[in-house]
Structure formats: C-alpha cells, structure tokens
C-alpha cells in the first residue's frame, strides 16, 4: 500500500513517521462542536497559540509588578533593548543579516514607512506595480502613497492580474510587464505568496528584473514569513514587511517584522519618518534635538515597543528557530502533496485546486474552488462539522495545513467531510 492511499491507516502511518509530530502538543488546538480537536486550517489567517506564551507573558506582568520602571533595565528580558531579542531569530527566518531586520509596528504601517523611503516618484517615473487583486490594505497603501506625492493612481498604479479565465499570474507576463513598463516604475510591491490563490512568486527573479530597470523592489511577506524559506539578503530586495499573526503564530494583531537591505543601512540621505527609537542608542537618552539613525533596519523604528504584544511573538519565533524553516518546508510539502493526492483521488470531479501544483510555486495553502454548486454552502457545512477554514469571495475555500500543528490525520478527515459536504 502506497503512503498516499486515502485511508485512515495511511494517514496515521504518515503521522507516526513525522519527525515534527510532537510539536502539535506545544499549541492550544481549539475544540470543535463535539469537544474534540477541531480541524484547524487557518494558520494562514490567525496561527494558534503556543502554550509557552502564557508563561512568558506572566513573567512580563510579574516583572512590571515587581520592578516598575526599573524593568526597562532589570526585567529578566529587559524592556529597553527588547526588540533585540528578535534580531537573530528574524535574520534566520527570512534569510537576512542581523542589522537588516527589526520587529516593529504592524504590517501596513511598515509598508507605509518603507514607501516613505523607497517610493521616490518623479514625473518620468511615478508608478507602483502591484498584483491584482492585491490584498486591499496593500492597494490602499500604494494608492494613497501615489496620491500623497501628487500623482494619480488611475494612471500610476499598475496592476497585473491573471489572464481571463486563469487563476494565477503567469511569471512570463509579469517579467514582460516589468520589461515594458519598467522605465516608469518607481516601485514594485508584490507579495511573496499571494493571499487568495496561494501562488508563490519568484522573488529573486523579480528583484533582478525590476532593479535592472531602475525600480526599487519591496515584498509583502504576510503569507510567506514562516511558510516558505526566504533569502531576502541574497535576493537583493530593497525592503520587505510581514505580519506575525498568520503563519508566525504571534497572536491577533501581533507586532510585525521588517527588512531593509544592508545597501541602504547607512544611507542618511533617504527620506524617512523618524522617531526616537530609531535614534542612535548611545545618545538616545541625552534627549537632544538631532536625529542620528541607527545603521540598519532598527533605524526605522519610531516608538518604544509594546512589550506585552512583543512577548507572544518572541515565544513563537523561538519555536520557528528551534525547528528551522528547512524541516518545516519539508513537512509542509508532504502535507500539501498528500492533500492534493487525496483530493484528486476522491473529489477530482467536484473540486478544482487553483493554487499552482508546481512545488516551487506554492506554500502551505491550497485554494479550492467547487466546479459546480454553491461553494458558500459547502463552506458552512464544513464549519458546522468542526472544520475551520476560510471563505474568500467570490468562490474560494482556503485550506492551509501547517507543519507545526496539523496532522496527516486532519487531512484525511477533511477530505471525508468535504466529500460529505458536497455530496450530502
Ligand atoms: C494579512 C495581510 C495584511 C494585513 O495587514 P495588517 O496591517 O496586519 O492589518 C496586509 N496585506 C496582506 C497581503 C495580508 O495578507
């Protein structure tokens, strides 16, 4: 019997052979309607709570109670340099040098701060290239930046979408557009993984092509960080930003991450919106009027960070560091390969997977579309039956089996419940 046969035995065998299986116990799995663990497939939207978060938060509360303001220097994780706890963890997570990464703000805020520095439109070169349909916040951010500089999004926001009748952007179409329009593009702002389709973009190739045309390149890694291996430094991207509450399990609204390539680390001629936390650490508390940015990504910080919101992210990034993206990616592909095989075996007539099948072009998420019938009703039937997945208008159910806490057995039950939801 082949490992990919659709059976509970095969699923359990895969779980038994899974070197990461024990990590599931490090997370709180929400109960389904019958009280047993739900089938949780929305780690791409809000990752589950690592058990160690509670204890680490309690430590911060205790230090605050015990030390008051002295916690800035005397807490067991002193608050003043708290963001430095993230430096090495983030550097390894996204393939960066330590001074290229910082934990700060939230994702859309960071996109704006990065655009202040790296979107420098001129009359000849005013445009931003994004994908279509982009996540609304990214589109709003880009369009409002264009307007802020006195240009017109109708003309200067260039959007590339899939061809008529297709679900994914063809990489060749993207390259051709950069080649043709590159001379008037100031900034290429694309996702690492597209939130709707799950398509992974060739970030290295895009960065090379766009920079050869004189454009800056930034990536929104909301759906990529903690999902696929990244090498931001080597790929040469100018900046990147990501939230920490999706694959990274940092908790609702968690503090985000940001990358600035080292070629910009000491460029004080870049415009930036500054704050005291980005100022040189040795003179910060002399409270002088001059601004001298810390070299590197830390120099873009504004405020002293909210420790109680940083702690869950720290707890979670420690787990990513202990496991490593390589092992996570290996299991992630095994999970999605298995789900694809079982969907093909059981539901090929009913369900279309719109996510690219090529392993280089997908992460954890598979986006499913019903070939006929009412997808929304099927989604609701799944929900009633203990499956947490999500529905994205107009017609997609997104499923993200994640390697830290999903089991192969979850996939087996999912395919069975989907079958039942469709066929009744
Ligand atoms: C989740 C997500 C966001 C959310 O932005 P916040 O500022 O964290 O609210 C933005 N863009 C993309 C592509 C996302 O996937």
């Amino acid at each position: 019997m082949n490992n990919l046969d659709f059976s509970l035995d095969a699923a359990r065998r895969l779980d038994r052979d899974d070197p990461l299986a024990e990590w599931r116990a490090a997370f709180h799995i929400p109960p389904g309607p019958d009280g047993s663990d739900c089938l949780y497939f929305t780690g791409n939207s809000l990752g589950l709570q690592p058990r160690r978060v509670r204890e680490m938060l309690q430590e911060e509360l205790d230090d605050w109670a015990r030390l008051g303001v002295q916690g800035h220097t005397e807490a067991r994780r002193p608050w003043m340099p708290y963001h430095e706890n993230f430096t090495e963890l983030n550097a390894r997570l996204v393939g960066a040098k330590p001074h290229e990464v910082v934990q700060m703000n939230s994702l859309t805020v960071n996109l704006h701060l990065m655009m202040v520095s790296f979107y420098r439109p001129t009359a000849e070169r005013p445009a931003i290239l994004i994908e279509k349909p982009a996540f609304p916040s990214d589109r709003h951010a880009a369009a409002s930046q264009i307007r802020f500089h006195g240009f017109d999004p109708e003309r200067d926001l260039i959007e590339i979408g899939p061809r008529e009748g297709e679900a994914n952007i063809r990489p060749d179409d993207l390259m051709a557009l950069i080649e043709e329009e590159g001379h008037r593009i100031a900034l290429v702002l694309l996702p690492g993984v597209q939130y709707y389709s799950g398509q992974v973009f060739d970030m290295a190739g895009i960065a090379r092509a766009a920079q050869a045309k004189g454009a800056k390149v930034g990536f929104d890694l909301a759906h990529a960080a903690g999902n696929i291996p990244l090498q931001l430094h080597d790929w040469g991207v100018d900046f990147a930003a990501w939230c920490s509450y999706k694959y990274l399990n940092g908790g609702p609204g968690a503090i985000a991450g940001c990358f600035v390539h080292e070629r910009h680390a000491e460029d004080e001629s870049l415009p930036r919106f500054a704050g005291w936390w980005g100022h040189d650490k040795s003179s910060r508390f002399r409270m002088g009027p001059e601004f001298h940015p810390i070299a590197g990504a830390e120099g873009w910080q504004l405020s002293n960070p909210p420790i109680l919101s940083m702690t869950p992210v720290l707890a979670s990034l420690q787990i990513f560091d202990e496991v490593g993206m390589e092992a996570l990616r290996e299991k992630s592909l095994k999970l999605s390969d298995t789900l694809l095989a079982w969907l093909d075996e059981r539901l090929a007539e009913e369900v279309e997977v719109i996510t690219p099948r090529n392993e280089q072009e997908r992460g954890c998420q598979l986006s499913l579309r019903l070939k006929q019938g009412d997808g929304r009703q099927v989604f609701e039937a799944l929900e009633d039956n203990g499956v947490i997945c999500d529905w994205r208008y107009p017609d997609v159910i997104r499923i993200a089996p994640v390697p830290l806490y999903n089991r192969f057995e979850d996939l087996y039950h999912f395919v069975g419940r989907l079958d039942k939801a469709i066929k009744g």
Side-chain angles (χ1 to χ4, degrees), residues 218-236:
F219 283 99
D220 182 325
L221 303 178
H223 282 263
N227 178 7
I228 58 172
L230 299 163
Q231 291 298 335
L232 298 182
H233 175 81
D234 289 347
W235 296 342

Side-chain angles (χ1 to χ4, degrees), residues 106-109 111 135 137-138 191 195 220 222-223 243 245-246:
S106 45
L107 169 56
T108 309
V109 173
L111 289 176
F135 194 95
S137 202
D138 299 56
Y195 82 98
D220 182 325
H223 282 263
C243 54
Y245 49 81
K246 293 175 179 168

Side-chain angles (χ1 to χ4, degrees), residues 88-371:
E88 296 287 338
L89 303 177
N90 272 325
R92 286 191 283 270
L93 182 76
V94 299
K97 296 192 174 178
H99 68 299
E100 291 176 319
V101 288
V102 66
Q103 199 77 24
M104 62 180 188
N105 309 315
S106 45
L107 169 56
T108 309
V109 173
N110 288 342
L111 289 176
H112 275 298
L113 292 178
M114 291 294 102
M115 281 193 273
V116 164
S117 295
F118 300 109
Y119 171 54
R120 305 285 300 140
T122 61
E124 300 74 46
R125 191 189 276 280
I128 300 179
L129 171 64
I130 63 171
E131 96 280 21
K132 186 178 186 165
F135 194 95
S137 202
D138 299 56
R139 193 180 191 284
H140 301 328
S144 63
Q145 286 279 338
I146 290 170
R147 255 182 248 113
F148 177 75
H149 286 279
F151 295 96
D152 179 5
E154 284 287 330
R155 194 192 54 215
D156 299 323
L157 187 62
I158 304 175
E159 296 172 274
I160 179 162
R163 294 188 187 188
E164 187 67 33
E166 297 185 7
N168 296 292
I169 295 169
R170 293 195 193 184
D172 290 348
D173 286 356
L174 178 54
M175 288 303 172
L177 181 67
I178 291 172
E179 183 56 34
E180 270 162 44
E181 303 279 351
H183 62 280
R184 71 179 184 103
I185 296 175
L187 174 67
V188 172
L189 180 62
L190 289 170
V193 179
Q194 216 281 336
Y195 82 98
Y196 187 82
S197 64
Q199 178 180 17
V200 173
F201 288 92
D202 169 16
M203 287 173 262
I206 292 166
R208 257 195 320 275
Q211 287 164 346
K213 286 283 174 183
K216 293 277 189 287
V217 180
F219 283 99
D220 182 325
L221 303 178
H223 282 263
N227 178 7
I228 58 172
L230 299 163
Q231 291 298 335
L232 298 182
H233 175 81
D234 289 347
W235 296 342
V237 314
D238 292 290
F239 70 85
W242 57 95
C243 54
S244 305
Y245 49 81
K246 293 175 179 168
Y247 291 100
L248 291 177
N249 309 319
I255 303 302
C258 193
F259 166 92
V260 180
H261 198 276
E262 75 172 346
R263 78 173 77 91
H264 306 298
E266 300 191 44
D267 184 355
E268 296 199 16
S269 74
L270 284 171
R272 76 174 91 192
F273 286 172
W276 75 320
W277 227 248
H279 180 87
D280 171 38
K281 291 172 207 176
S282 65
S283 61
R284 184 191 288 145
F285 286 93
R286 280 190 227 130
M287 311 300 260
E290 302 283 326
F291 177 69
H292 299 296
I294 304 168
E298 283 180 77
W300 272 264
Q301 294 172 105
L302 300 179
S303 300
N304 79 100
I307 301 302
L308 299 180
S309 301
M310 295 283 266
T311 305
V313 189
L314 183 58
S316 184
L317 291 192
Q318 288 173 349
I319 294 176
F320 276 84
D321 206 54
E322 285 163 41
V323 182
M325 277 312 300
E326 209 171 305
L328 288 169
R329 174 66 168 169
E330 191 177 325
K331 177 174 171 189
S332 164
L333 284 173
K334 209 173 274 180
L335 284 166
S336 49
D337 286 343
T338 303
L339 180 54
L340 276 168
W342 287 350
L343 287 169
D344 286 346
E345 187 179 328
R346 292 295 299 252
L347 290 164
E349 300 293 311
E350 292 81 7
V351 173
E352 176 194 0
V353 177
I354 67 167
T355 308
R357 287 191 174 238
N358 168 5
E359 288 191 349
Q360 264 74 55
E361 289 184 84
R362 62 178 152 88
C364 294
Q365 175 183 325
L366 296 181
S367 298
L368 315 183
R369 186 179 272 160
L370 289 202
K371 292 185 179 172

